[in-house]
Amino acid sequence: MSQASGSHAVAWLAGRGWLPFGFQQEVWQAVAEGRSGMLHATTGAGKTYAVWLGILDALLRRHPPGRAAEPLRAIWLTPMRALASDTAKALLQPLADLAPNWTLGLRTGDTTSAERARQDRRMPTVLVTTPESLTLMLTRENARTELAGVEYVVLDEWHELIGSKRGVQAQLALARLRRLHPGLVTWGLSATLGNLEQAMQVLCGPEEDPAPRLVRGKIDKTLLIDTLLPPNPGKYTWAGHLGAGMQLPVVEEIERSGTTLVFTNVRSQAEAWYQLLLQARPDWAGHIALHHGSLDRGTREWVEQGLKDGTLRAVVATSSLDLGVDFLPVERVLQVGSAKGVARMLQRAGRSGHAPGRPSRVTLVPTNTMEIVEAAAARRAAHEGRVEQRVAPAKPLDVLVQHIVTIALGGGFRADELFAEVTGAWSYRALTRAEFDWVVAFCERGGDSLGAYPEYHRIVRDEEGVYRVRDAGVAKRHRLGIGTIVSDAAIQVKYLGGAPIGTIEEGFIARLRQGDCFFFAGKLLEFVRVRDMAAYVRKATRNKGTVPTWMGSKMALSTELSDAVLEMLQDAAQGRFLEPELEAARPMLLTQQRLSRIPTPGTLLVEAFQSREGQHLYLYPFAGRNVHLGLASLLAWRLAREQPNTFSMSINDYGLELVSAAPFDSEPVTSQAIFSATDLLHDVLASLNSGELKQRRFREIARIAGLVSSGYPGQPKSARQVQASSALFYEVFRKYDAGNLLLNQAESEVLSQELELSRLAGTLERMRTKKVVYAPLRHPSPLSLPLMVERFREKLSTETLAARLERILRDMEADEGS
């Protein structure tokens, strides 16, 4: 490291009695050389100060602090509002000491209008904001002047953004800032990424000069991953069957620990577990809390402050607390259910011991016996560094439509210049000029089918060849729609007196009748009515209710974790029960071995079973539920093509079930002929209601592209209205504008994101190379029973399902004893 670089940083750390880590000095050197880069380090290792002190040191050397504050020089982008507030506090400490006249501002959806007005008069030296708020800044007429002095941009928690359209939005914003300031330096921070080199290229652009620097921060930080084992897992299992039975063990763990975070994967599970904790310990009321993204902002901020102050014993949370908010008092993290991915587990583990030198510990709480095996597999994968990759979307045109209108608003653009700028963003590096020109024409005239409607003539080319937005109504609607990339079709929940509680997806509220009770925000509420896009409730007097369900509540097992689970199962198949989790799952695994076979990395288990329902076929590719959905539909369609038939099916992360009342020939499966990848795209589309899937996907594309509006503040449109509007556009484009590239995008996203076509093709390839092990069953095996239960749940009430399961298990026990 040169003598000059990092001098202010070293002095500031020394004043606090701290010494810099080697990776921090490496970042300072790279920043001093004008390099962009990526810092990958353990959560709580000091990433924020590694990058911020390096940037601050470089800024101070070029702009010695005077009496007046510097104009906007650095932007810190964060994926979450809560994280923005916490980050601003961390950045302010060295800024106040080293450059007391420089200013720091916060600009998110929560920023008050008064604060925005102050920033509009004079931007702060450093701005902490989100991708959406930065994009909104680009719509300002004076955006070029305000942002031309920006020298540094930091993307915090880059792993959280890179694989989404929000990440693409950030890429386009960075491409714009590079054009305004060609020497722009960008840095990304991450703790959990498997494809670091590519993630750095996505962030820095395809042709960054000088070459960006990848810094791996290695410090000695203890990571403990253990499992809270149930006392009697049993021989059979299904989704959630151990869940409530883990109530007391979880309570005992919380009692033995300091402040504890209890993570669940979905909001409905968080609501349920909060109630379970209160049922076991009513005296904890007021000392434990609930946190998820649908709760009112004031409630979330109260919980976050309680965590920072150490006044809360435990908080039940979802991914809303995954990211880098600094909660030093947190000692323990419990993960209820499978984390479904190694990166997610590591991210959550890092919420405990969030400081250099402090150990991080995550305890996995299985909700079924296979999740006990998953827990051991996740620990092995984590220790071996097998972390999931995140891939940036390829040229999503809906985001580009939004960006083009944004730039037209922010001072206008010339087509040639903007094309060169956009293709400097990684996701659009393969964008053709024909595709770009189509998008510009679509913004200008609405494509071939909307030319007669002036509201879709959003940009106008003037006599100098500059495209601008002339219509004030278009400008207003566009600015309001910039956040639609992350918005959900939700409805506000309020008490009858008007106090807000949070938001719930409209589909759940639509199923409620007056007087129905449900748990939300940790309270039992009675539904009264819906008025003006708000659901009004009161506190319930009964003691029973349902738990709200939110869309997207089913996460899929990652490839890395699936492979690790199969390796664990191979240990069990060979009689090696060395891990405590495998020993706990031994009764179930031995029952699977006795009745059928245990799947392994080199085998494909196929089970056959005959019941009163008909003929059942089970396959276990271990490819995750998204792939299994497409695979089950594909196999059923191909079997019915050979021999006309109707199939029912069910899926989970481990396998799939096909059931038919009429007999069918399973030979194409056992011979592996049916796993051919020939005509895969045609067969997948034919096997599904692809039109419905495309229309649903197009609804989100239409919102992002600004074709449909979610309404105005105080006058929101319902999800049903938005759906109807997007469906109309879909049909108009399909009939009268067949070359519309947004329609093509809808089909592409269905295949790549919902059905994971590339992963499905890879799964078929692996299935063809594995040895098929065919196992006829006398009664359901431990692996097949959960698939039966998944199908029963669609048809039976909870009570009827419990009775049917009890009968099945009783019959199996009797059969084993005979």
Side-chain angles (χ1 to χ4, degrees):
M1 184 173 72
S2 67
Q3 188 172 3
S5 65
S7 56
H8 294 93
V10 172
W12 186 80
L13 289 175
R16 281 165 164 67
W18 298 340
L19 291 174
F21 294 113
F23 76 86
Q24 292 176 322
Q25 294 175 310
E26 190 177 347
V27 171
W28 299 342
Q29 180 66 43
V31 173
E33 294 170 359
R35 295 181 187 274
S36 298
M38 176 97 175
L39 171 58
H40 186 264
T42 311
T43 298
K47 294 190 296 295
T48 299
Y49 283 147
V51 172
W52 175 229
L53 289 176
I55 289 173
L56 193 51
D57 185 80
L59 282 173
L60 287 168
R61 280 187 283 111
R62 279 200 301 279
H63 311 284
R67 293 182 179 180
E70 280 289 306
L72 183 60
R73 296 296 183 195
I75 294 176
W76 194 286
L77 279 180
T78 168
M80 289 178 63
R81 296 178 189 179
L83 185 55
S85 176
D86 205 65
T87 300
K89 293 175 185 176
L91 303 187
L92 191 57
Q93 294 182 38
L95 185 70
D97 292 339
L98 297 175
N101 291 329
W102 292 6
T103 56
L104 182 144
L106 192 63
R107 194 179 185 101
T108 71
D110 292 335
T111 303
T112 65
S113 56
E115 174 60 22
R116 287 174 185 272
R118 278 194 293 272
Q119 292 178 7
D120 291 345
R121 290 191 294 270
R122 182 178 178 84
M123 277 288 170
T125 311
V126 184
L127 184 67
V128 180
T129 187
T130 61
E132 294 75 34
S133 291
L134 176 57
T135 302
L136 266 172
M137 291 173 64
L138 293 177
T139 67
R140 294 155 64 90
E141 184 67 31
N142 60 344
R144 294 172 185 265
T145 305
E146 286 182 335
L147 300 174
V150 175
E151 300 176 40
Y152 297 94
V153 178
V154 179
L155 276 293
D156 208 348
E157 307 286 359
W158 179 228
H159 57 274
E160 191 69 21
L161 287 170
I162 183 175
S164 69
K165 289 182 180 179
R166 294 183 74 210
V168 176
Q169 192 178 44
Q171 287 183 51
L172 288 169
L174 286 174
R176 186 63 175 169
L177 292 175
R178 288 190 189 100
R179 183 169 187 82
L180 298 178
H181 189 104
L184 185 76
V185 172
T186 56
W187 276 82
L189 309 183
S190 177
T192 50
L193 261 176
N195 52 331
L196 293 174
E197 293 281 356
Q198 186 185 57
M200 182 174 69
Q201 290 178 331
V202 173
L203 174 73
C204 300
E207 297 180 358
E208 181 81 0
D209 184 33
R213 176 77 52 81
L214 176 59
V215 178
R216 291 178 169 88
K218 295 183 179 179
I219 62 171
D220 294 328
K221 185 174 178 65
T222 303
L223 173 63
L224 302 174
I225 304 171
D226 56 10
T227 307
L228 191 59
L229 296 174
N232 182 23
K235 299 178 182 178
Y236 288 87
T237 185
W238 54 89
H241 100 277
L242 292 178
M246 300 300 289
Q247 176 192 38
L248 291 181
V250 167
V251 167
E252 291 168 1
E253 286 296 308
I254 294 172
E255 285 177 330
R256 286 194 290 266
S257 307
T259 302
T260 303
L261 276 176
V262 181
F263 275 112
T264 67
N265 287 341
V266 293
R267 288 167 281 186
S268 54
Q269 196 179 23
E271 292 277 352
W273 267 92
Y274 178 75
Q275 295 301 323
L276 283 171
L277 296 183
L278 278 182
Q279 288 169 14
R281 292 296 302 268
D283 57 308
W284 283 357
H287 300 285
I288 65 173
L290 180 65
H291 192 290
H292 58 69
S294 291
L295 299 182
D296 178 66
R297 173 190 165 195
T299 301
R300 285 183 278 119
E301 289 179 346
W302 176 82
V303 174
E304 290 161 15
Q305 193 59 49
L307 278 173
K308 292 173 185 175
D309 297 341
T311 57
L312 290 172
R313 178 183 286 273
V315 173
V316 185
T318 61
S319 57
S320 59
L321 288 182
D322 269 7
L323 301 184
V325 181
D326 191 3
F327 300 127
L328 285 176
V330 173
E331 290 184 6
R332 291 288 302 280
V333 168
L334 302 180
Q335 165 67 45
V336 176
S338 167
K340 300 296 182 183
V342 180
R344 186 177 296 109
M345 181 189 68
L346 292 174
Q347 184 72 33
R348 292 177 173 182
R351 297 300 99 223
S352 66
H354 196 275
R358 291 181 58 183
S360 293
R361 181 181 178 188
V362 59
T363 299
L364 308 175
V365 183
T367 62
N368 63 65
T369 311
M370 272 302 294
E371 285 185 346
I372 301 177
V373 179
E374 256 186 71
R379 180 173 59 243
R380 176 182 291 180
H383 288 157
E384 292 175 357
R386 292 151 65 178
V387 179
E388 292 82 11
Q389 299 186 1
R390 309 285 178 93
V391 180
K395 55 182 179 185
L397 299 185
D398 52 346
V399 182
L400 183 56
V401 168
Q402 187 184 95
H403 184 70
I404 282 175
V405 179
T406 291
I407 301 305
L409 264 173
F413 67 87
R414 288 183 170 84
D416 291 346
E417 294 173 354
L418 188 59
F419 176 70
E421 176 184 315
V422 165
T423 51
W426 174 270
S427 286
Y428 297 98
R429 67 196 186 283
L431 183 77
T432 66
R433 184 58 192 254
E435 291 169 328
F436 176 81
D437 288 343
W438 182 92
V439 174
V440 172
F442 183 78
C443 295
E444 185 179 15
R445 298 185 298 275
D448 292 343
S449 54
L450 301 178
Y453 302 94
E455 61 265 38
Y456 299 109
H457 299 187
R458 289 179 279 179
I459 62 176
V460 178
R461 184 180 179 184
D462 64 19
E463 61 278 2
E464 296 178 355
V466 178
Y467 287 92
R468 304 181 191 276
V469 174
R470 297 297 189 192
D471 187 277
V474 168
K476 182 178 181 181
R477 286 193 299 272
H478 180 76
R479 290 189 173 105
L480 288 172
I482 279 175
T484 57
I485 290 179
V486 293
S487 65
D488 296 320
I491 189 169
Q492 270 204 314
V493 181
K494 296 182 176 181
Y495 286 116
L496 283 173
I501 305 173
T503 58
I504 289 182
E505 286 185 0
E506 191 179 20
F508 176 78
I509 292 294
R511 295 194 296 271
L512 296 179
R513 294 175 297 179
Q514 186 175 353
D516 284 353
C517 297
F518 61 98
F519 288 104
F520 182 62
K523 306 174 181 70
L524 184 58
L525 305 172
E526 179 184 334
F527 174 66
V528 179
R529 63 175 177 266
V530 172
R531 179 181 293 171
D532 299 328
M533 279 304 290
Y536 287 91
V537 299
R538 56 183 164 224
K539 289 186 178 179
T541 54
R542 287 181 264 166
N543 59 5
K544 287 187 178 180
T546 60
V547 174
T549 55
W550 282 266
M551 292 176 65
S553 61
K554 296 287 189 180
M555 291 181 176
L557 201 66
S558 72
T559 299
E560 289 75 9
L561 192 48
S562 296
D563 290 345
V565 169
L566 280 171
E567 292 166 12
M568 281 290 165
L569 291 176
Q570 179 162 283
D571 286 352
Q574 296 173 348
R576 299 196 302 268
F577 296 88
L578 304 179
E579 305 283 349
E581 292 87 353
L582 284 184
E583 184 60 39
R586 186 197 283 256
M588 184 270 286
L589 294 171
L590 291 181
T591 302
Q592 176 68 29
Q593 182 83 292
R594 184 174 68 253
L595 298 177
S596 174
R597 295 288 189 276
I598 295 177
T600 66
T603 62
L604 173 65
L605 176 61
V606 178
E607 296 177 335
F609 177 61
Q610 193 71 35
S611 75
R612 286 177 294 180
E613 292 181 282
Q615 185 175 339
H616 304 246
L617 195 69
Y618 301 95
L619 290 84
Y620 302 97
F622 280 76
R625 61 185 312 113
N626 292 346
V627 171
H628 291 162
L629 172 61
L631 183 59
S633 302
L634 174 69
L635 298 182
W637 187 81
R638 286 179 171 178
L639 286 170
R641 184 176 57 182
E642 299 295 326
Q643 178 184 344
N645 207 340
T646 301
F647 290 92
S648 298
M649 51 192 145
S650 66
I651 60 164
N652 60 20
D653 278 317
Y654 314 121
L656 60 95
E657 176 195 43
L658 299 177
V659 188
S660 171
F664 62 91
D665 185 7
S666 59
E667 190 277 335
V669 174
T670 55
S671 69
Q672 299 171 288
I674 203 170
F675 304 147
S676 169
T678 305
D679 294 327
L680 178 60
L681 177 59
H682 169 272
D683 289 359
V684 166
L685 292 176
S687 68
L688 292 156
N689 185 356
S690 58
E692 171 62 29
L693 290 173
K694 282 189 286 187
Q695 187 166 326
R696 186 176 68 196
R697 177 62 65 166
F698 181 79
R699 182 174 68 210
E700 299 309 310
I701 290 171
R703 289 171 64 195
I704 294 170
L707 290 173
V708 296
S709 167
S710 298
Y712 296 102
Q715 298 176 302
K717 289 184 179 179
S718 69
R720 189 172 298 175
Q721 289 172 310
V722 172
Q723 184 172 354
S725 298
S726 65
L728 179 61
F729 281 110
Y730 180 84
E731 288 302 319
V732 168
F733 291 161
R734 192 173 63 84
K735 292 177 181 177
Y736 305 109
D737 190 6
N740 192 294
L741 296 185
L742 297 180
L743 284 181
N744 298 343
Q745 182 185 337
E747 179 174 302
S748 173
E749 289 186 6
V750 166
L751 294 172
S752 64
Q753 296 176 31
E754 297 199 27
L755 302 177
E756 299 189 44
L757 186 66
S758 61
R759 193 175 171 192
L760 173 57
T763 299
L764 287 170
E765 173 64 28
R766 286 194 298 275
M767 291 167 72
R768 289 195 301 273
T769 61
K770 291 185 177 186
K771 176 185 177 182
V772 171
V773 177
Y774 182 74
L777 302 174
R778 291 176 57 188
H779 52 66
S781 68
L783 284 180
S784 65
L785 183 62
L787 288 162
M788 274 191 175
V789 173
E790 288 288 326
R791 189 163 40 82
F792 292 162
R793 280 193 172 119
E794 299 295 321
K795 304 174 183 177
L796 305 177
S797 68
T798 303
E799 293 80 5
T800 308
L801 175 59
R804 185 160 185 177
L805 275 171
E806 186 178 348
R807 188 181 72 248
I808 291 173
L809 292 173
R810 189 169 57 244
D811 291 346
M812 289 191 293
E813 292 291 340
D815 188 49
E816 283 191 65
S818 63

